[in-house]
Amino acid sequence: MDAFYASVEMRDHPEYRKKALVIAHDPREHNGHGVITTANYVARKYGVGSAMPAIKAVQKVPADKLVFLPPDFEKYRSVSAQVHEIMHEVTDKIQSVSLDEAYLDVTQNKLGDYSTIQLGNYMQQKIYKETGLTCSYGASYNKFLAKMGSEYAKPFGKTLILPEEAKDFLARQDISKFHGVGKKTQLILRELGINTGADLQAKSVKYLIDHFKKMGYVMAMHSRGIDLSPVEWQRQRKSIGKERTFEPSVFEEQKALTLLRGYSSDIANILMTQNVKTKCIVLKIRDTDFYTVTRRRMLKSSTRDAHEIYQEAKDLFEELPEFLEKGIRLLGVSVTSLEQEKYQETNLFSTLE
DNA sequence: GCGGATCAC
DNA sequence: TATGGTGATCCGC
């Protein structure tokens, strides 16, 4: 398989920033882009009320020159669709990872007899021309290496990793660059003296499985340049959820129940548009001390009814009265065990065609 | 199947 | 230091 991973840099483009950011009023400072920082941190520091999602980074802008920009998700979504159109010129085998990242299987492509790099350059340049966004991509013989190469190429580059180069390339990478290796796994790996791809390669597969179970096997394979997972371009969603954090916390039962009703209705609407039903309702709740639990209930028969979802969520909620005492910081509902409705019109037509 | 943990973005 | 929202997967029961 020729795999391809593209990552579009939206957050650094002034028009497409997806998240809250802080920007200097004076465009002569910081190239007119201002300074991106953790919105909540800045909000607290400068006494501005804000609970925007956070991103990374820098400071150095005086307080009186700061202004908060709300995220424009509509814009973000529409640009993402534009980018996807360009990718679809090359192949329909696209696995979206998020609005701005995707895997493409270009073993076959729609444009003709081109190399993976030629296809990549075509998309990269077209995306830049049509949206002004830079993107990087990685190309290799499997998904893992394609993604690794893409990260390596950021913010506006490309990386081609050939089979005979893979092991050396991986040996040089820090374990933090391995997909699936997060904070916790990193900590344990480093305690074992494993800091790089070379260290992973030096350990036996058995050793890694003994320490990390399935994850160990995956890391062993990845470090050796092996990843057989396909580009899942037809995957369907397995859960749908809605949750919200409150500042200050919620103490009133009526308010909590109203929120649950709203979430249930939102979820029911999505079930409707996606033509699926659910067999399992999950309640998620977090108190002021950040103590979080989830409780779920399996249904006898699947549903897409807002009120039925609400009733289950309410039942689960009422089994946890302690949270109202403490104060509710977060409340959420999600549904899993989704079942595709059969005999869907679109399916019928597409089958007949 | 359930609930917590971990991870990605 | 302060930790948002959505979704997936894995582990140990």
Side-chain angles (χ1 to χ4, degrees):
Chain A
M1 172 175 70
D2 289 322
F4 190 91
Y5 190 88
S7 172
V8 183
E9 294 298 324
M10 292 198 187
R11 77 178 66 172
D12 295 328
H13 190 288
E15 281 182 50
Y16 303 125
R17 283 174 183 132
K18 61 176 169 180
K19 292 177 178 174
L21 53 83
V22 184
I23 189 167
H25 276 307
D26 186 347
R28 289 167 300 185
E29 293 186 39
H30 313 289
N31 302 320
H33 284 232
V35 171
I36 300 166
T37 183
T38 303
N40 280 330
Y41 169 74
V42 174
R44 180 172 286 266
K45 185 171 173 185
Y46 297 109
V48 186
S50 163
M52 292 297 181
I55 39 179
K56 51 185 177 181
V58 217
Q59 289 119 43
K60 281 186 192 160
V61 172
D64 58 352
K65 294 190 175 171
L66 295 177
V67 60
F68 286 86
L69 299 185
D72 185 352
F73 276 97
E74 282 312 304
K75 180 78 179 173
Y76 195 59
R77 257 187 285 273
S78 87
V79 175
S80 176
Q82 233 181 313
V83 171
H84 272 76
E85 267 184 43
I86 295 169
M87 293 197 243
H88 273 287
E89 290 182 37
V90 173
T91 180
D92 292 325
K93 292 190 177 177
I94 300 169
Q95 179 185 344
S96 291
V97 174
S98 62
L99 283 177
D100 60 356
E101 301 195 15
Y103 292 100
L104 281 68
D105 183 340
V106 293
T107 311
Q108 271 129 37
N109 80 84
K110 301 201 251 178
L111 289 186
D113 189 20
Y114 296 108
S115 71
T116 306
I117 287 291
Q118 285 174 315
L119 297 171
N121 290 347
Y122 171 77
M123 289 186 278
Q124 190 178 46
Q125 281 164 27
K126 190 151 183 178
I127 288 167
Y128 186 69
K129 248 181 250 162
E130 295 193 358
T131 69
L133 295 170
T134 63
C135 73
S136 16
Y137 70 85
S140 194
Y141 59 93
N142 65 38
K143 284 168 67 178
F144 171 71
L145 284 163
K147 171 140 178 55
M148 182 81 98
S150 169
E151 300 294 327
Y152 187 79
K154 279 186 180 186
F156 193 13
K158 55 191 156 189
T159 308
L160 171 68
I161 304 173
L162 298 172
E164 58 269 29
E165 303 166 343
K167 275 201 83 172
D168 283 346
F169 177 83
L170 290 166
R172 292 194 296 270
Q173 304 303 313
D174 188 84
I175 48 161
S176 59
K177 307 288 185 213
F178 281 67
H179 188 261
V181 175
K183 222 173 101 180
K184 304 284 183 182
T185 312
Q186 242 185 91
L187 202 67
I188 304 172
L189 280 168
R190 296 197 196 281
E191 273 173 18
L192 293 169
I194 302 169
N195 291 290
T196 66
D199 297 334
L200 278 174
Q201 289 169 2
K203 298 292 180 190
S204 72
V205 179
K206 181 180 183 319
Y207 175 92
L208 292 169
I209 292 173
D210 287 346
H211 280 83
F212 299 95
K213 310 284 163 119
K214 180 160 188 176
M215 188 62 208
Y217 178 73
V218 172
M219 288 189 292
M221 293 303 109
H222 283 177
S223 68
R224 290 151 172 80
I226 300 166
D227 173 21
L228 301 178
S229 67
V231 172
E232 295 191 56
W233 58 289
Q234 285 175 315
R235 201 154 56 146
Q236 74 142 3
R237 253 210 292 197
K238 294 181 177 170
S239 72
I240 299 167
K242 180 114 186 165
E243 65 185 54
R244 209 58 60 185
T245 294
F246 311 104
E247 183 62 45
S249 296
V250 172
F251 289 88
E252 305 81 19
E253 179 170 20
Q254 283 315 310
K255 194 168 173 189
L257 293 178
T258 302
L259 288 162
L260 291 180
R261 239 189 314 265
Y263 301 159
S264 303
S265 155
D266 290 347
I267 289 169
N269 286 336
I270 298 174
L271 290 174
M272 195 76 80
T273 52
Q274 309 235 329
N275 206 43
V276 290
K277 288 185 169 184
T278 176
K279 275 205 110 175
C280 184
I281 315 297
V282 187
L283 178 81
K284 179 175 173 182
I285 187 165
R286 170 177 293 155
D287 72 18
T288 307
D289 294 336
F290 235 75
Y291 174 67
T292 312
V293 300
T294 63
R295 292 290 181 268
R296 72 184 66 195
R297 185 156 295 169
M298 208 70 167
L299 304 180
K300 290 195 193 74
S301 61
S302 59
T303 185
R304 66 157 63 114
D305 178 66
H307 194 255
E308 196 174 345
I309 295 168
Y310 167 67
Q311 280 301 331
E312 299 297 335
K314 177 172 178 275
D315 279 1
L316 293 167
F317 176 76
E318 285 173 345
E319 287 170 18
L320 301 162
E322 327 82 82
F323 283 82
L324 269 177
E325 294 292 315
K326 269 252 171 189
I328 298 167
R329 180 185 173 83
L330 175 149
L331 194 60
V333 177
S334 63
V335 298
T336 68
S337 299
L338 302 183
E339 294 173 352
Q340 187 76 41
E341 280 296 87
K342 288 164 193 162
Y343 309 120
Q344 189 188 356
E345 270 180 89
T346 53
N347 279 353
L348 263 182
F349 283 117
S350 58
T351 309
L352 287 174
E353 172 140 38

